[in-house]
Amino acid sequence: VETDAVAHLIRAKKLIPDEVLNQARQMLPRLKLDLDPDSVDGHPTFEIQWIYEGKYTHAKLEGVFRDTIETKLVPMIRNSPLMPKTSDLVLCQALLRVYED
């Protein structure tokens, strides 16, 4: 069965406030990051999942990001032309990933 696949892009400048990013950066040394090989380059992923199946799974990262998720990210997507007005959108999965500069 063929379907018409369409990709959409929403550009959100400064969605996550600097103070939230700084709080997350301060936590990095204490986080137990997954080191599984990346599917593209085989290098360690340096990531941690903190929302799974719509539930927060890491209390400290929830404390850092929850307000931004609930007051900025989800409403931005809900109010976009991509979503039906009757949608009950929830964030199903989220991860924090560290990249080298």
Side-chain angles (χ1 to χ4, degrees), residues 6 28-29 47 58 60-61 63-64 66 77 81 84 88 98 101:
V6 177
L28 287 176
E47 66 187 21
H58 193 284
K60 292 188 181 205
L61 288 173
V64 171
R66 185 176 195 132
I77 297 170
D88 288 333
V98 178
D101 286 337

Side-chain angles (χ1 to χ4, degrees), residues 2-90:
E2 286 190 38
T3 60
D4 292 331
V6 177
H8 296 278
L9 174 68
I10 298 173
R11 186 172 182 196
K13 290 184 178 185
K14 294 304 248 174
L15 178 68
I16 302 175
D18 288 338
E19 60 270 13
V20 173
L21 292 174
N22 288 335
Q23 287 177 342
R25 285 186 186 105
Q26 289 174 4
M27 292 179 62
L28 287 176
R30 297 182 304 278
L31 295 175
K32 294 181 181 179
L33 301 174
D34 294 331
L35 303 177
D36 301 332
D38 182 82
S39 61
V40 174
D41 62 16
H43 292 262
T45 56
F46 299 108
E47 66 187 21
I48 184 168
Q49 189 167 36
W50 54 276
I51 295 179
Y52 183 72
E53 294 184 350
K55 294 180 177 57
Y56 290 88
T57 58
H58 193 284
K60 292 188 181 205
L61 288 173
E62 174 185 0
V64 171
F65 289 111
R66 185 176 195 132
D67 184 63
T68 301
I69 295 300
E70 293 181 0
T71 65
K72 293 186 176 198
L73 178 68
V74 171
M76 178 191 66
I77 297 170
R78 265 194 196 127
N79 294 324
S80 79
L82 304 177
M83 297 301 301
K85 295 301 176 202
T86 58
S87 173
D88 288 333
L89 175 77
V90 295

